[in-house]
Amino acid sequence: MFQGNAIVGQSGGPTSVINSSLCGVVQGCFELGQNHPNSKIDKVFGMKYGVEGLMQGEIIDFGDVPPEDIEGLKRTPGSALGSCRHKVQESDFPVILEQLKKNNIRYYFLAGGNDTMDTICRVEKYCKSQGYDLRGLGVPKTVDNDLFATDHTPGFSSAGRYVAMSVKQAGVLARDMKRVDQFVIFQSVGRDAGWLAAASACAKVDPENAPHIILVPEIPFDFDKFVAKAQETLEKFGFVSVVCGEGIRDKDGVVVSSLDADGKKIDQEATLDKFGNQELGAMAGTSVAIALHKMLGKHLKRANGEPCRGEFQILESLPMCGADRATALDIEEAWQCGRRAVELALEGTSGVMVTMNRVSNDPYKIEYGTAPLDAVAVAAKPMPLEYVDAENLFVTKECLDHLRPLIGELPKYVKLF
């Protein structure tokens, strides 16, 4: 009989449903961990602020948390256990192992993205090298939807709906205010993946409606093509709605936030985070939306030759915590991923992340599977190029067929003329 305590943590940026995955893990441990024929879970702990809290001995006992509060996690935004972005160093492993031994932890669950899966993988391998038997399981999480080997990730559905609703509503405003402001730019998060920007296409019901232009990191930004398409759209509809991913780059790999109003590179040093990733958006002190705004402000012209006015929207972390727009599908799938991780651990599986595999779009159906942690840690999942209409700066029907079951039906608004 494999027996011991379980611990669960959260890492990286939140999603509106990461706590539903937490609920799935905790409830799974309590409900399944006592009755399995070959494995047993005694106590269920939570690490405060991820692996940082674990190393400092900051844990909570879920046995002291009322069942109704655990159930309430399903619809609670943020990261209820607290999160961190700590890159585990070699010197951390003995400290982590000491805490695992001290609390007799044999089941180790973390919800997060690529870096989180790398953490679980390395912790599990280190424990094995030290003769300590630990089952480490990853629960997928990211609004970016760029985790390898899974059709989509918990959190993306709700964040995608948040983006689509925001672009739809801002598009109605832009259409009605086109005699005041002629363009609007919406910047989504997503780093090197264009999934969230693409989700905005679900808002479009006819050619006039927003969005008109979608710029994703998978396709190099072309200044001339962008300005020409914006001018063409302005002349046709009187306003332009642009959606851009925060990580779009030109053909030379230069982040668009580093370009001036003429699409030329501005000499500036890139700001890197502790994982070696270039900071984007507000953390970098600039943004793609502002750069695009300057381009259109200078080059977009009204019929009388005057320059255009416009505005931009940069939501940063709001789609990650918008519980009011969380989809029922996302909440359920996030919970199922957490519970499935427990089932796998009790069956003796370790070193994998739970995945979701699409069976069909209509009717929508998925199956749960697994992927090796070391594969997820080093790979990413950009949008397939067949999902991008590079010629028209938009997405394809195949992309919309993939996204619509996740985003859900959007409200219809009245147009008087």
Side-chain angles (χ1 to χ4, degrees), residues 190-203:
R191 189 166 287 280
D192 296 324
W195 292 103
L196 277 178
S200 68
C202 294

Side-chain angles (χ1 to χ4, degrees), residues 222-417:
D222 185 317
F223 170 79
D224 293 327
K225 191 173 185 178
F226 168 63
V227 172
K229 181 67 175 180
Q231 185 66 46
E232 174 191 322
T233 304
L234 174 69
E235 292 170 4
K236 188 179 295 185
F237 303 120
F239 77 106
V240 187
S241 167
V242 179
V243 179
C244 62
E246 65 179 353
I248 59 174
R249 301 171 186 266
D250 67 11
K251 61 181 176 58
D252 297 318
V254 178
V255 179
V256 171
S257 57
S258 299
L259 302 182
D260 64 16
D262 296 313
K264 307 299 182 184
K265 185 178 185 301
I266 304 169
D267 288 330
Q268 60 183 29
E269 235 179 88
T271 306
L272 304 180
D273 65 17
K274 64 178 66 177
F275 292 97
N277 300 315
Q278 183 173 349
E279 293 281 17
L280 301 170
M283 291 297 293
T286 183
S287 76
V288 171
I290 293 175
L292 296 178
H293 185 279
K294 290 177 180 177
M295 293 175 193
L296 294 187
K298 180 175 181 179
H299 296 280
L300 203 59
K301 303 298 181 184
R302 307 186 211 192
N304 60 7
E306 292 182 1
C308 290
R309 281 170 45 106
E311 59 178 31
F312 59 86
Q313 292 128 12
I314 307 172
L315 294 187
E316 290 288 333
S317 61
L318 290 178
M320 302 179 189
C321 58
D324 59 322
R325 293 184 181 181
T327 67
L329 174 71
D330 207 9
I331 293 170
E332 175 63 18
E333 290 183 342
W335 185 87
Q336 290 287 356
C337 282
R339 188 178 181 89
R340 182 59 185 147
V342 176
E343 292 174 344
L344 289 166
L346 290 170
E347 292 166 5
T349 303
S350 184
V352 302
M353 180 189 78
V354 178
T355 62
M356 293 186 287
N357 308 314
R358 184 86 60 113
V359 176
S360 66
N361 286 330
D362 188 16
Y364 171 76
K365 184 181 179 182
I366 63 161
E367 293 177 348
Y368 294 92
T370 63
L373 288 174
D374 52 4
V376 179
V378 299
K381 187 193 69 177
M383 282 180 57
L385 292 183
E386 60 266 28
Y387 281 9
V388 184
D389 182 352
E391 184 62 31
N392 295 301
L393 304 183
F394 209 72
V395 300
T396 63
K397 179 181 181 299
E398 289 80 6
C399 182
L400 285 168
D401 289 343
H402 178 85
L403 291 174
R404 280 188 169 128
L406 305 179
I407 306 305
E409 187 175 353
L410 299 181
K412 295 178 174 61
Y413 298 129
V414 172
K415 180 184 177 185
L416 294 178
F417 62 91

